[in-house]
Amino acid sequence: MPSEALLRRYRNWYAKLLRLYPKPYRERFREGMEQTFNDLCRERVKAERGLFSFALWTFFETSAAIIRENETMILRCSMNRGSTKFLRIVISLIAMAALAVCIFPLPRMVPQEAAKTPDTAYLVYLFLVGAYIMAVLFFVALYQAFKLLTYMDGNKAFSELSVRALRHIKHSAITISLLMVAGIAVVMVLSAGTGEDIAGIVMMGLIFTFASSVVVAVAAVLQKQVRKAIDLKKEGLS
C-alpha cells in the first residue's frame, strides 16, 4: 500500500507540473485541479488500486493539455506587438546568460574536474564538446524564435517563413533531446558497478530531455496550425 510520503511526492510533482500552464488558466483552475487529483489518489489508495499507473497517465494527459493551452496562448499573443517585444527581450536575455555560461564558468570548471580524475579526463572533455554542441543548437533555436516573433510583428505569422522557423526550432530540440539521451546512457554504462551515485545527473538530464521534448511538441503543433492556415488562405484566394 502506498505510503503517505509517496502520495505527498505525487501531489508535489503534480502541483509543479501545473505551473507550466499559462498564468490566466493556472490562476483559474489550478486549485481545483490539485484538489481533484488529491481526492482521486486517496480513492485509489482506499480501493487498493494501482497508484503509479494512474499518476503516470494523469501526468501525461496534463502535459498534453499544457501544450495545447500554451499553443493557444502563443497564437493569441501573435497579434499583440507589445507581447512580441517583451518575448524578444526575454530571448535576448536567455541567449546572453547561456553565452556567459559557455564563455566563463564552463571552460574553467572542466579542467578542474579533469585534474581530479586523470584516468578518465577524456570523458570530461567529451562532456565539454557535447555541451558546446547542444549550446550551438540552443542558440539556433533561440535565433529562429527571435525571427518568428519578427514575422509576427510584420504580419507574416502565417507564412512559409514562420513554417521554416518552426521547423528549425523543432529539429534543434529533437537533436538536443537525442544528445541528452545518449549522454544519460553513456553515464549509466560507465558508472555501472562503480557504486557512484548518478541519480542527480540522470534526473537533470531527464529534465532537460523533457523540456526539449515539450519544445518539439509545441513547435510541431504550431507548425501544423500555421501550415493549415496557409492552405486555407490559398484555398480562399483560388
Side-chain angles (χ1 to χ4, degrees), residues 1-5 7-8 11 35-49 51 54:
M1 193 170 177
S3 65
E4 185 65 30
L7 287 172
R8 187 165 55 251
R11 292 199 298 267
Q35 185 61 49
T36 300
F37 179 76
N38 294 343
D39 293 342
L40 290 174
C41 285
R42 292 289 182 186
E43 289 177 5
R44 294 185 73 88
V45 170
K46 290 180 180 179
E48 296 185 355
R49 301 171 62 186
L51 185 59
F54 167 74

Side-chain angles (χ1 to χ4, degrees), residues 45-104:
V45 170
K46 290 180 180 179
E48 296 185 355
R49 301 171 62 186
L51 185 59
F52 174 75
S53 58
F54 167 74
L56 185 63
W57 174 251
T58 303
F59 292 164
F60 174 78
E61 200 172 35
T62 304
S63 298
I66 288 171
I67 292 172
R68 289 196 302 269
E69 291 299 325
N70 279 286
E71 173 210 351
T72 302
M73 181 64 65
I74 291 172
L75 289 176
R76 287 176 182 173
C77 290
S78 67
M79 303 306 294
N80 189 333
R81 187 159 301 203
S83 296
T84 58
K85 288 181 180 179
F86 172 74
L87 289 174
R88 281 204 297 270
I89 293 174
V90 171
I91 290 173
S92 300
L93 292 175
I94 292 173
M96 286 188 288
L99 185 61
V101 171
C102 292
I103 293 176
F104 298 108

Side-chain angles (χ1 to χ4, degrees), residues 40-205:
L40 290 174
C41 285
R42 292 289 182 186
E43 289 177 5
R44 294 185 73 88
V45 170
K46 290 180 180 179
E48 296 185 355
R49 301 171 62 186
L51 185 59
F52 174 75
S53 58
F54 167 74
L56 185 63
W57 174 251
T58 303
F59 292 164
F60 174 78
E61 200 172 35
T62 304
S63 298
I66 288 171
I67 292 172
R68 289 196 302 269
E69 291 299 325
N70 279 286
E71 173 210 351
T72 302
M73 181 64 65
I74 291 172
L75 289 176
R76 287 176 182 173
C77 290
S78 67
M79 303 306 294
N80 189 333
R81 187 159 301 203
S83 296
T84 58
K85 288 181 180 179
F86 172 74
L87 289 174
R88 281 204 297 270
I89 293 174
V90 171
I91 290 173
S92 300
L93 292 175
I94 292 173
M96 286 188 288
L99 185 61
V101 171
C102 292
I103 293 176
F104 298 108
L106 195 58
R108 296 177 183 176
M109 179 183 69
V110 169
Q112 293 174 357
E113 292 298 323
K116 294 178 182 178
T117 55
D119 295 336
T120 58
Y122 68 96
L123 292 175
V124 179
Y125 287 104
L126 185 62
F127 162 80
L128 180 63
V129 172
Y132 278 125
I133 291 174
M134 286 190 286
V136 170
L137 293 168
F138 181 68
F139 288 129
V140 168
L142 287 179
Y143 175 66
Q144 293 299 326
F146 194 94
K147 289 175 64 176
L148 183 62
L149 294 173
T150 303
Y151 299 149
M152 290 178 179
D153 277 350
N155 295 322
K156 297 179 181 178
F158 300 103
S159 66
E160 293 293 339
L161 294 173
S162 296
V163 173
R164 193 177 304 122
L166 288 166
R167 187 187 306 119
H168 288 316
I169 293 172
K170 181 178 67 176
H171 290 168
S172 297
I174 289 174
T175 307
I176 290 174
S177 296
L178 293 176
L179 288 173
M180 289 302 303
V181 171
I184 292 172
V186 170
V187 170
M188 294 179 69
V189 170
L190 293 176
S191 62
T194 63
E196 294 183 9
D197 184 12
I198 61 169
I201 298 175
V202 172
M203 180 58 67
M204 187 64 67

